Amino acid sequence: MKKSRSSHPWFAAGLAFALAGCAANSLHSDGVKLVRQGDHDAALAKLQEAARLDPANAEFRIDMLNEVNSYSSDLARRADEARAAGRLDEASTLYRKALQINRANDRAKRGLDGLESDLRMGRLLTESERLLRDGQLEAARDKVRAALIESPRNTVALQQLELVQQQIDKVKAARTAQAAAQSVMSRPVTLQFRDANLRMVFEALSRTTGLNVILDRDVRADLKTTIFVKDASVEDTVDLILLQNQLEKRTLNANTMFVYPATAAKQKEYQDLQVRTFQIQNADVKYLQTVLKTVLKLKDVSVDERSSTLVLRDTPEAIAVAAKIIAAHDVAEPEVMLEVAVLEVSHDRLTDIGIEFPTAISLSTPTTINTLSDLKRLRPGGLLVSPLSANINLKLQDTDANLLASPRIRARNKEKARILIGDRVPIITNSVTPVASGSSVVTGSVQYQDVGLKLEFEPQVYSDDEVGIKISLEVSTIAKEIAGPNGSLAYQIGTRNAQTVVRLRDGETQVLGGLISSEDRNTASKIPGLGHLPVVGQLFGNNSGTNNKTEIILSITPHIIRPPAVIDASLREVFSGTESSIRQRALQLDPVGSVRAQSSGPTAAPAAATPPGAAQPRTPPAPPAQRAPASPAGSVTAPAAPGATSGAAPPAAAASYLRNLQQYLSTRPAGGAAGSAPAPAAQPDPPAAPAADPVVPAPPDASASDAKAGS
């Protein structure tokens, strides 16, 4: 009785342990099924409970940890998608749930931190949208750039920046066109001066055309000029006058220019310099740097080979000419696909025909013969003879083999392409270093020799759909192994190679053959005398021979994947000015008076000066009422860009993102984000664009892409 009482607690504990194990197995099985069904919440609860009931079961714990990691990662991924779509409430909930499941999920932690960054970015985008609607383009662009600092890859911010930049470019183009239309530099003028003072000529131009001329203090007062032009533009006329007197000009606005001596010191003082960065896609930046320095004599040229970037600093005229030269060189390299077929045809014949007679007979005494007296008693029939046998060989073996390799390789123009089909055979070389005391030291080295089929191509694509190919073919085999001293090993390698240059049309196939190797060996084993008898001698000997013949055939077909780029006609010839100064256009005196009168309606009559030394207008200048009305100060009429709506409305994706963001901001409690401002009210969808072109206020400074610097 005492024994049964003492064993009762142990029995109860064992029973409880068995029941817990059964329950854990059942929970684990249910959890695995729920994982397969996609019910991760219920599956995770059952797996965690199973691991708690049976903590010693490694399988239960591993399955539970795998589900924790995979489920939390899936929640973080869904949260990232919701965040990218602007569903910030959903993203916040998913991030927090992922962290509840797995506190070590770094992706969820970074996502929550990113939501705060999205809030700051959203406020900046909302402010940029408001500024864009108000026409404050520069301020709107600054806000978008600040938003991109928070999230550099945000699609909505990039779209907003592109939209703002389009509006700025439209305003800049409209202002440039308006300034050109109001400029006096394109008006016709007629001048007749002989040895006239330069200041008087400029005064006459100013009175007749309205051109404002400012002279540098170092412009000599005794300069004279002689010019007779009729119906020439003011700009061309002024350029010729300045060229005669070694002067340069700097255009300040549409009607004002500043004249200074064309000396190196004055050019450094007054010439505007421009910095422009070129991202080179195909050409070699070092080669372009050499071209620009050699041809255009540009001094400030910087190259970053890591990013293939070229940075230039020079006058706007020089930068414009350099841009055309870069565009002519930065073209995609041609590419060609080579279809190669290598065929090795081999024929081997092995013959072994005849009777193989024994070549030697051995005689021996029995083992009982031990002394000379025993040998005397030996009878002639007591000698032992080795067994004799003759073999009849009737063997003729033919072997035909075709080894085919058919690679396809794509290569760039004038770039080598290599193909190796074979093995790299190790060649072991041992060197012995003697030692004064003890054994010598043996040092081994291994070198590898390529053995097999080696092909090398260098294509050149021509503009007439033809491809020139330099071909190098080598076929090598191991003839035999050569053992060297101290365990070194070398090989005798037989090789056949060919090199040629062919020019084929696109898709044309060329077959190259004739690399033939032939080997013929015959071996005869005959009985002396009998084997040399005619006809009958074949019965007293054995003849064996080998006949090996191999031929290499190469077939190659080029296919042009990318043809050579055709340089645009406008880039083949680029005007670059004179040796001392770079210009985009040559000095010219095209008649513009009659042409302008026919094409653009009534204009001011050309100014003329008939008496020598004086200039008088032929007709008075047009009254102010006849001139085109100027736009109000600070605004120009900008044409609508294709794909952009009037009023600079954001795209649909940006508008939806902003609405979701504003809704999220409005539902957040005050002070929910560090440094957060009061949430703006949700704005309705932007109105539809009117049919007429919008009037976009001009920003204070519309230059957005080129950086200028004066030295």
Side-chain angles (χ1 to χ4, degrees), residues 29-109:
S29 300
D30 294 341
V32 172
K33 292 179 182 178
L34 291 172
V35 168
R36 295 173 182 172
Q37 296 173 3
D39 191 356
H40 295 281
D41 290 323
L44 183 58
K46 290 185 176 295
L47 291 176
Q48 288 176 341
E49 182 65 17
R52 187 188 65 82
L53 291 176
D54 192 358
N57 194 316
E59 181 183 359
F60 291 176
R61 184 169 181 80
I62 290 174
D63 289 344
M64 184 267 293
L65 292 176
N66 288 337
E67 178 62 13
V68 166
N69 292 328
S70 62
Y71 188 29
S72 63
S73 299
D74 182 66
L75 290 174
R77 179 188 56 80
R78 288 161 51 192
D80 288 341
E81 295 175 355
R83 176 188 170 190
R87 303 191 302 271
L88 304 185
D89 278 327
E90 179 183 350
S92 177
T93 302
L94 291 173
Y95 281 136
R96 297 182 186 279
K97 186 175 181 180
L99 286 176
Q100 289 177 358
I101 296 174
N102 184 9
R103 296 183 178 276
N105 193 321
D106 186 66
R107 185 175 181 179
K109 293 179 182 178

Side-chain angles (χ1 to χ4, degrees), residues 485-520:
N486 301 316
S488 61
L489 183 64
Y491 297 94
Q492 178 181 340
I493 297 177
T495 179
R496 283 169 287 168
N497 55 64
Q499 294 182 352
T500 185
V501 180
V502 296
R503 182 162 176 168
L504 307 175
R505 290 193 172 274
D506 183 18
E508 181 182 356
T509 301
Q510 178 66 46
V511 177
L512 305 175
L515 292 177
I516 301 175
S517 173
S518 181
E519 180 182 0
D520 193 359

Side-chain angles (χ1 to χ4, degrees), residues 11 44 58 181 214 236 317 330 339 357 511 557 578 583 601:
F11 175 77
L44 183 58
I214 303 174
D236 294 340
E317 295 276 348
D330 192 17
E339 290 186 0
F357 291 97
V511 177
T557 306
T578 63
R583 294 173 176 269

Side-chain angles (χ1 to χ4, degrees), residues 575-599:
F575 183 79
S576 61
T578 63
E579 181 70 20
S580 60
S581 63
I582 299 177
R583 294 173 176 269
Q584 290 192 80
R585 56 188 294 270
L587 291 175
Q588 55 189 7
L589 275 177
D590 295 334
V592 297
S594 59
V595 177
R596 288 176 59 87
Q598 293 176 4
S599 61

Side-chain angles (χ1 to χ4, degrees), residues 347-353 393-399 543 545-547:
H347 176 72
D348 299 338
R349 167 165 287 188
L350 174 63
T351 59
D352 192 5
I353 300 175
N393 296 324
L394 300 173
K395 183 178 181 181
L396 177 62
Q397 179 179 343
D398 289 335
T399 304
N543 296 314
T546 57
N547 187 358

